[in-house]
Amino acid sequence: VYAGGRPVEVTGAEAVRVWIWKALRTVRFRHDIYTWDYGCEAENLIGKAFTAQVKESEAVRYVREALEPNPYITEVLRVDVQFQGTRLEISCRVTTIYGEVEVHV
């Protein structure tokens, strides 16, 4: 998170929101620096001949699997996914130990 072009330290719910955003944008298993529990596998949907319903269902599953390992997230309340051409847009609401957080990726 930046303010005035400089990084800002965030804590609490805002820190969890940043973690969620980063976890959903990081491809799971691609980078050795992250554990295998970190990241999202939504990239696996690229080029697959699934129906729109199956793609949406799988994307929701991938999002839930990416968020549930975080000990600060107590519940994934809602995950909405929408495919816009080749782009996947994700909105989710989660309960954290600090309260509810909504993220759009």
Side-chain angles (χ1 to χ4, degrees), residues 15-53:
V16 177
R17 182 189 329 258
V18 171
W19 185 93
I20 291 168
W21 183 87
K22 178 114 172 64
L24 294 178
R25 294 191 52 95
T26 301
V27 179
R28 183 177 270 176
F29 309 121
R30 178 170 294 166
H31 308 285
D32 291 337
I33 194 169
Y34 300 116
T35 69
W36 283 20
D37 289 337
Y38 187 79
C40 187
E41 297 178 64
E43 186 180 69
N44 291 341
L45 298 173
I46 296 173
K48 303 294 188 214
F50 296 134
T51 65
Q53 285 180 317

Short mmCIF file of all heavy atoms in Angstrom, two decimals, residues 15-53:
data_model
loop_
_atom_site.label_atom_id
_atom_site.label_comp_id
_atom_site.label_asym_id
_atom_site.label_seq_id
_atom_site.Cartn_x
_atom_site.Cartn_y
_atom_site.Cartn_z
N ALA A 15 -4.17 -4.98 6.69
CA ALA A 15 -3.07 -5.89 6.38
C ALA A 15 -3.60 -7.20 5.81
O ALA A 15 -3.04 -7.75 4.86
CB ALA A 15 -2.24 -6.15 7.63
N VAL A 16 -4.70 -7.70 6.34
CA VAL A 16 -5.31 -8.93 5.81
C VAL A 16 -5.83 -8.68 4.40
O VAL A 16 -5.69 -9.51 3.51
CB VAL A 16 -6.43 -9.46 6.74
CG1 VAL A 16 -7.09 -10.69 6.14
CG2 VAL A 16 -5.87 -9.78 8.12
N ARG A 17 -6.42 -7.51 4.17
CA ARG A 17 -6.92 -7.16 2.84
C ARG A 17 -5.78 -7.17 1.82
O ARG A 17 -5.91 -7.70 0.72
CB ARG A 17 -7.59 -5.80 2.87
CG ARG A 17 -8.18 -5.37 1.54
CD ARG A 17 -8.65 -3.93 1.52
NE ARG A 17 -9.10 -3.45 2.80
CZ ARG A 17 -10.39 -3.30 3.15
NH1 ARG A 17 -11.33 -3.61 2.29
NH2 ARG A 17 -10.71 -2.84 4.34
N VAL A 18 -4.63 -6.61 2.19
CA VAL A 18 -3.46 -6.60 1.31
C VAL A 18 -2.99 -8.03 1.07
O VAL A 18 -2.65 -8.41 -0.06
CB VAL A 18 -2.33 -5.72 1.89
CG1 VAL A 18 -1.05 -5.89 1.11
CG2 VAL A 18 -2.77 -4.27 1.92
N TRP A 19 -2.96 -8.85 2.12
CA TRP A 19 -2.54 -10.26 1.98
C TRP A 19 -3.46 -10.98 0.99
O TRP A 19 -2.99 -11.73 0.14
CB TRP A 19 -2.56 -10.95 3.34
CG TRP A 19 -2.04 -12.35 3.27
CD1 TRP A 19 -0.76 -12.77 3.48
CD2 TRP A 19 -2.79 -13.53 2.93
NE1 TRP A 19 -0.68 -14.13 3.30
CE2 TRP A 19 -1.91 -14.62 2.96
CE3 TRP A 19 -4.12 -13.76 2.60
CZ2 TRP A 19 -2.30 -15.92 2.68
CZ3 TRP A 19 -4.53 -15.07 2.32
CH2 TRP A 19 -3.62 -16.13 2.36
N ILE A 20 -4.77 -10.77 1.11
CA ILE A 20 -5.74 -11.42 0.21
C ILE A 20 -5.48 -11.01 -1.22
O ILE A 20 -5.42 -11.84 -2.13
CB ILE A 20 -7.19 -11.08 0.63
CG1 ILE A 20 -7.52 -11.73 1.96
CG2 ILE A 20 -8.17 -11.49 -0.45
CD1 ILE A 20 -8.82 -11.23 2.59
N TRP A 21 -5.34 -9.70 -1.45
CA TRP A 21 -5.10 -9.20 -2.80
C TRP A 21 -3.86 -9.86 -3.40
O TRP A 21 -3.88 -10.33 -4.53
CB TRP A 21 -4.96 -7.68 -2.76
CG TRP A 21 -4.79 -7.05 -4.09
CD1 TRP A 21 -5.78 -6.64 -4.94
CD2 TRP A 21 -3.56 -6.76 -4.76
NE1 TRP A 21 -5.24 -6.11 -6.09
CE2 TRP A 21 -3.87 -6.17 -6.00
CE3 TRP A 21 -2.22 -6.93 -4.42
CZ2 TRP A 21 -2.90 -5.77 -6.90
CZ3 TRP A 21 -1.26 -6.52 -5.33
CH2 TRP A 21 -1.60 -5.94 -6.54
N LYS A 22 -2.79 -9.89 -2.63
CA LYS A 22 -1.53 -10.47 -3.12
C LYS A 22 -1.65 -11.98 -3.34
O LYS A 22 -1.17 -12.50 -4.34
CB LYS A 22 -0.40 -10.17 -2.13
CG LYS A 22 0.92 -10.76 -2.52
CD LYS A 22 1.92 -9.71 -2.85
CE LYS A 22 3.31 -10.26 -3.06
NZ LYS A 22 3.45 -11.15 -4.17
N ALA A 23 -2.31 -12.67 -2.42
CA ALA A 23 -2.46 -14.13 -2.55
C ALA A 23 -3.26 -14.49 -3.80
O ALA A 23 -2.94 -15.46 -4.48
CB ALA A 23 -3.13 -14.71 -1.31
N LEU A 24 -4.29 -13.71 -4.10
CA LEU A 24 -5.12 -14.01 -5.28
C LEU A 24 -4.42 -13.66 -6.58
O LEU A 24 -4.75 -14.21 -7.63
CB LEU A 24 -6.47 -13.29 -5.18
CG LEU A 24 -7.37 -13.76 -4.05
CD1 LEU A 24 -8.66 -12.95 -4.02
CD2 LEU A 24 -7.68 -15.25 -4.17
N ARG A 25 -3.45 -12.77 -6.54
CA ARG A 25 -2.72 -12.38 -7.75
C ARG A 25 -1.43 -13.19 -7.95
O ARG A 25 -0.78 -13.05 -8.97
CB ARG A 25 -2.41 -10.90 -7.72
CG ARG A 25 -3.69 -10.07 -7.79
CD ARG A 25 -3.44 -8.62 -8.01
NE ARG A 25 -2.58 -8.33 -9.13
CZ ARG A 25 -3.00 -8.03 -10.36
NH1 ARG A 25 -4.28 -8.02 -10.63
NH2 ARG A 25 -2.13 -7.74 -11.31
N THR A 26 -1.07 -14.01 -6.98
CA THR A 26 0.14 -14.83 -7.07
C THR A 26 -0.24 -16.23 -7.52
O THR A 26 -1.11 -16.87 -6.94
CB THR A 26 0.85 -14.90 -5.70
OG1 THR A 26 1.18 -13.57 -5.29
CG2 THR A 26 2.09 -15.75 -5.77
N VAL A 27 0.43 -16.71 -8.55
CA VAL A 27 0.15 -18.06 -9.06
C VAL A 27 0.77 -19.07 -8.11
O VAL A 27 1.97 -19.02 -7.82
CB VAL A 27 0.72 -18.24 -10.48
CG1 VAL A 27 0.46 -19.64 -10.99
CG2 VAL A 27 0.13 -17.19 -11.43
N ARG A 28 -0.07 -19.99 -7.64
CA ARG A 28 0.40 -21.02 -6.71
C ARG A 28 1.38 -21.95 -7.40
O ARG A 28 1.22 -22.28 -8.56
CB ARG A 28 -0.79 -21.81 -6.17
CG ARG A 28 -0.38 -22.85 -5.13
CD ARG A 28 -1.57 -23.55 -4.57
NE ARG A 28 -2.01 -22.80 -3.41
CZ ARG A 28 -3.09 -23.08 -2.71
NH1 ARG A 28 -3.86 -24.07 -3.07
NH2 ARG A 28 -3.41 -22.38 -1.66
N PHE A 29 2.39 -22.37 -6.68
CA PHE A 29 3.43 -23.33 -7.09
C PHE A 29 4.44 -22.76 -8.09
O PHE A 29 5.34 -23.45 -8.50
CB PHE A 29 2.83 -24.61 -7.70
CG PHE A 29 1.78 -25.27 -6.86
CD1 PHE A 29 0.51 -25.47 -7.36
CD2 PHE A 29 2.04 -25.67 -5.56
CE1 PHE A 29 -0.47 -26.08 -6.60
CE2 PHE A 29 1.07 -26.27 -4.79
CZ PHE A 29 -0.19 -26.48 -5.32
N ARG A 30 4.31 -21.51 -8.51
CA ARG A 30 5.22 -20.96 -9.52
C ARG A 30 6.52 -20.43 -8.91
O ARG A 30 7.57 -20.53 -9.52
CB ARG A 30 4.55 -19.87 -10.32
CG ARG A 30 5.52 -19.27 -11.35
CD ARG A 30 4.90 -18.36 -12.33
NE ARG A 30 3.99 -19.10 -13.17
CZ ARG A 30 3.09 -18.53 -13.95
NH1 ARG A 30 2.99 -17.21 -13.98
NH2 ARG A 30 2.29 -19.25 -14.69
N HIS A 31 6.44 -19.84 -7.73
CA HIS A 31 7.60 -19.16 -7.15
C HIS A 31 8.11 -19.92 -5.93
O HIS A 31 7.37 -20.17 -4.99
CB HIS A 31 7.21 -17.74 -6.75
CG HIS A 31 6.56 -16.96 -7.85
ND1 HIS A 31 7.27 -16.44 -8.91
CD2 HIS A 31 5.26 -16.66 -8.10
CE1 HIS A 31 6.45 -15.82 -9.73
NE2 HIS A 31 5.22 -15.95 -9.26
N ASP A 32 9.39 -20.27 -5.96
CA ASP A 32 9.99 -21.03 -4.86
C ASP A 32 9.98 -20.28 -3.53
O ASP A 32 10.06 -20.89 -2.47
CB ASP A 32 11.43 -21.42 -5.21
CG ASP A 32 11.50 -22.44 -6.33
OD1 ASP A 32 10.50 -23.16 -6.54
OD2 ASP A 32 12.55 -22.52 -7.00
N ILE A 33 9.88 -18.98 -3.58
CA ILE A 33 9.92 -18.18 -2.35
C ILE A 33 8.69 -18.40 -1.47
O ILE A 33 8.73 -18.19 -0.27
CB ILE A 33 10.10 -16.68 -2.68
CG1 ILE A 33 10.48 -15.91 -1.44
CG2 ILE A 33 8.88 -16.12 -3.34
CD1 ILE A 33 10.93 -14.49 -1.70
N TYR A 34 7.56 -18.81 -2.07
CA TYR A 34 6.33 -19.01 -1.32
C TYR A 34 6.10 -20.49 -1.01
O TYR A 34 6.50 -21.36 -1.78
CB TYR A 34 5.12 -18.51 -2.12
CG TYR A 34 5.18 -17.06 -2.46
CD1 TYR A 34 5.26 -16.63 -3.78
CD2 TYR A 34 5.15 -16.08 -1.46
CE1 TYR A 34 5.31 -15.28 -4.10
CE2 TYR A 34 5.20 -14.74 -1.77
CZ TYR A 34 5.28 -14.35 -3.09
OH TYR A 34 5.33 -13.01 -3.39
N THR A 35 5.42 -20.76 0.11
CA THR A 35 5.06 -22.14 0.42
C THR A 35 3.99 -22.61 -0.55
O THR A 35 3.35 -21.80 -1.23
CB THR A 35 4.50 -22.26 1.86
OG1 THR A 35 3.23 -21.61 1.91
CG2 THR A 35 5.46 -21.66 2.88
N TRP A 36 3.74 -23.90 -0.58
CA TRP A 36 2.73 -24.43 -1.48
C TRP A 36 1.31 -24.09 -1.04
O TRP A 36 0.36 -24.31 -1.76
CB TRP A 36 2.91 -25.94 -1.62
CG TRP A 36 4.05 -26.29 -2.52
CD1 TRP A 36 5.11 -25.50 -2.87
CD2 TRP A 36 4.25 -27.52 -3.18
NE1 TRP A 36 5.95 -26.17 -3.70
CE2 TRP A 36 5.45 -27.41 -3.91
CE3 TRP A 36 3.55 -28.71 -3.23
CZ2 TRP A 36 5.94 -28.44 -4.69
CZ3 TRP A 36 4.05 -29.74 -4.01
CH2 TRP A 36 5.22 -29.61 -4.72
N ASP A 37 1.16 -23.55 0.16
CA ASP A 37 -0.16 -23.11 0.63
C ASP A 37 -0.51 -21.72 0.14
O ASP A 37 -1.64 -21.27 0.32
CB ASP A 37 -0.20 -23.09 2.16
CG ASP A 37 -0.20 -24.48 2.75
OD1 ASP A 37 -0.60 -25.42 2.05
OD2 ASP A 37 0.20 -24.62 3.92
N TYR A 38 0.44 -21.00 -0.46
CA TYR A 38 0.24 -19.60 -0.81
C TYR A 38 -0.01 -19.43 -2.30
O TYR A 38 0.70 -19.99 -3.13
CB TYR A 38 1.45 -18.77 -0.40
CG TYR A 38 1.25 -17.29 -0.58
CD1 TYR A 38 0.52 -16.56 0.35
CD2 TYR A 38 1.77 -16.63 -1.68
CE1 TYR A 38 0.32 -15.20 0.19
CE2 TYR A 38 1.59 -15.27 -1.84
CZ TYR A 38 0.85 -14.57 -0.91
OH TYR A 38 0.64 -13.23 -1.07
N GLY A 39 -1.01 -18.65 -2.64
CA GLY A 39 -1.29 -18.32 -4.03
C GLY A 39 -2.61 -18.91 -4.48
O GLY A 39 -3.32 -19.57 -3.72
N CYS A 40 -2.94 -18.64 -5.73
CA CYS A 40 -4.22 -19.07 -6.30
C CYS A 40 -3.97 -19.83 -7.60
O CYS A 40 -3.09 -19.48 -8.37
CB CYS A 40 -5.08 -17.83 -6.56
SG CYS A 40 -6.76 -18.21 -7.09
N GLU A 41 -4.76 -20.86 -7.83
CA GLU A 41 -4.59 -21.70 -9.01
C GLU A 41 -5.54 -21.36 -10.14
O GLU A 41 -5.70 -22.14 -11.08
CB GLU A 41 -4.80 -23.16 -8.62
CG GLU A 41 -3.79 -23.67 -7.63
CD GLU A 41 -4.06 -25.10 -7.24
OE1 GLU A 41 -3.99 -25.98 -8.12
OE2 GLU A 41 -4.37 -25.32 -6.06
N ALA A 42 -6.16 -20.19 -10.12
CA ALA A 42 -7.13 -19.81 -11.16
C ALA A 42 -6.52 -19.82 -12.55
O ALA A 42 -7.24 -20.01 -13.54
CB ALA A 42 -7.74 -18.45 -10.85
N GLU A 43 -5.21 -19.67 -12.64
CA GLU A 43 -4.55 -19.71 -13.95
C GLU A 43 -4.79 -21.05 -14.65
O GLU A 43 -4.72 -21.14 -15.88
CB GLU A 43 -3.06 -19.46 -13.78
CG GLU A 43 -2.33 -19.35 -15.09
CD GLU A 43 -0.84 -19.08 -14.90
OE1 GLU A 43 -0.14 -20.00 -14.42
OE2 GLU A 43 -0.41 -17.98 -15.22
N ASN A 44 -5.08 -22.10 -13.89
CA ASN A 44 -5.33 -23.41 -14.48
C ASN A 44 -6.55 -23.43 -15.39
O ASN A 44 -6.73 -24.37 -16.16
CB ASN A 44 -5.52 -24.47 -13.38
CG ASN A 44 -4.25 -24.74 -12.62
OD1 ASN A 44 -3.16 -24.44 -13.08
ND2 ASN A 44 -4.39 -25.30 -11.43
N LEU A 45 -7.38 -22.42 -15.31
CA LEU A 45 -8.59 -22.37 -16.14
C LEU A 45 -8.31 -21.87 -17.56
O LEU A 45 -9.15 -22.04 -18.45
CB LEU A 45 -9.65 -21.47 -15.48
CG LEU A 45 -10.13 -21.94 -14.12
CD1 LEU A 45 -11.03 -20.89 -13.49
CD2 LEU A 45 -10.86 -23.26 -14.24
N ILE A 46 -7.15 -21.28 -17.77
CA ILE A 46 -6.82 -20.73 -19.09
C ILE A 46 -6.71 -21.86 -20.11
O ILE A 46 -6.02 -22.85 -19.89
CB ILE A 46 -5.50 -19.94 -19.03
CG1 ILE A 46 -5.66 -18.74 -18.13
CG2 ILE A 46 -5.06 -19.52 -20.43
CD1 ILE A 46 -4.38 -17.98 -17.88
N GLY A 47 -7.41 -21.69 -21.20
CA GLY A 47 -7.33 -22.64 -22.30
C GLY A 47 -8.11 -23.92 -22.12
O GLY A 47 -8.03 -24.82 -22.95
N LYS A 48 -8.86 -24.05 -21.05
CA LYS A 48 -9.66 -25.25 -20.81
C LYS A 48 -11.02 -25.11 -21.47
O LYS A 48 -11.61 -24.04 -21.48
CB LYS A 48 -9.84 -25.50 -19.31
CG LYS A 48 -8.56 -25.61 -18.55
CD LYS A 48 -7.79 -26.84 -18.94
CE LYS A 48 -6.61 -27.00 -18.01
NZ LYS A 48 -5.45 -27.54 -18.54
N ALA A 49 -11.51 -26.20 -22.00
CA ALA A 49 -12.80 -26.19 -22.70
C ALA A 49 -13.94 -26.51 -21.75
O ALA A 49 -14.77 -27.37 -22.01
CB ALA A 49 -12.75 -27.20 -23.85
N PHE A 50 -14.01 -25.81 -20.63
CA PHE A 50 -15.09 -25.99 -19.67
C PHE A 50 -16.25 -25.08 -20.03
O PHE A 50 -16.07 -24.04 -20.67
CB PHE A 50 -14.63 -25.63 -18.25
CG PHE A 50 -13.54 -26.50 -17.69
CD1 PHE A 50 -12.46 -25.94 -17.05
CD2 PHE A 50 -13.60 -27.88 -17.79
CE1 PHE A 50 -11.46 -26.72 -16.51
CE2 PHE A 50 -12.61 -28.68 -17.25
CZ PHE A 50 -11.54 -28.10 -16.61
N THR A 51 -17.42 -25.45 -19.57
CA THR A 51 -18.56 -24.55 -19.72
C THR A 51 -18.36 -23.35 -18.80
O THR A 51 -17.55 -23.39 -17.87
CB THR A 51 -19.88 -25.26 -19.35
OG1 THR A 51 -19.84 -25.58 -17.95
CG2 THR A 51 -20.10 -26.51 -20.18
N ALA A 52 -19.13 -22.31 -19.03
CA ALA A 52 -19.02 -21.10 -18.20
C ALA A 52 -19.32 -21.43 -16.75
O ALA A 52 -18.65 -20.92 -15.83
CB ALA A 52 -19.95 -20.02 -18.72
N GLN A 53 -20.31 -22.29 -16.50
CA GLN A 53 -20.67 -22.65 -15.13
C GLN A 53 -19.53 -23.38 -14.43
O GLN A 53 -19.26 -23.13 -13.26
CB GLN A 53 -21.92 -23.51 -15.11
CG GLN A 53 -23.20 -22.75 -15.37
CD GLN A 53 -24.40 -23.68 -15.34
OE1 GLN A 53 -24.36 -24.78 -15.89
NE2 GLN A 53 -25.46 -23.23 -14.68
#
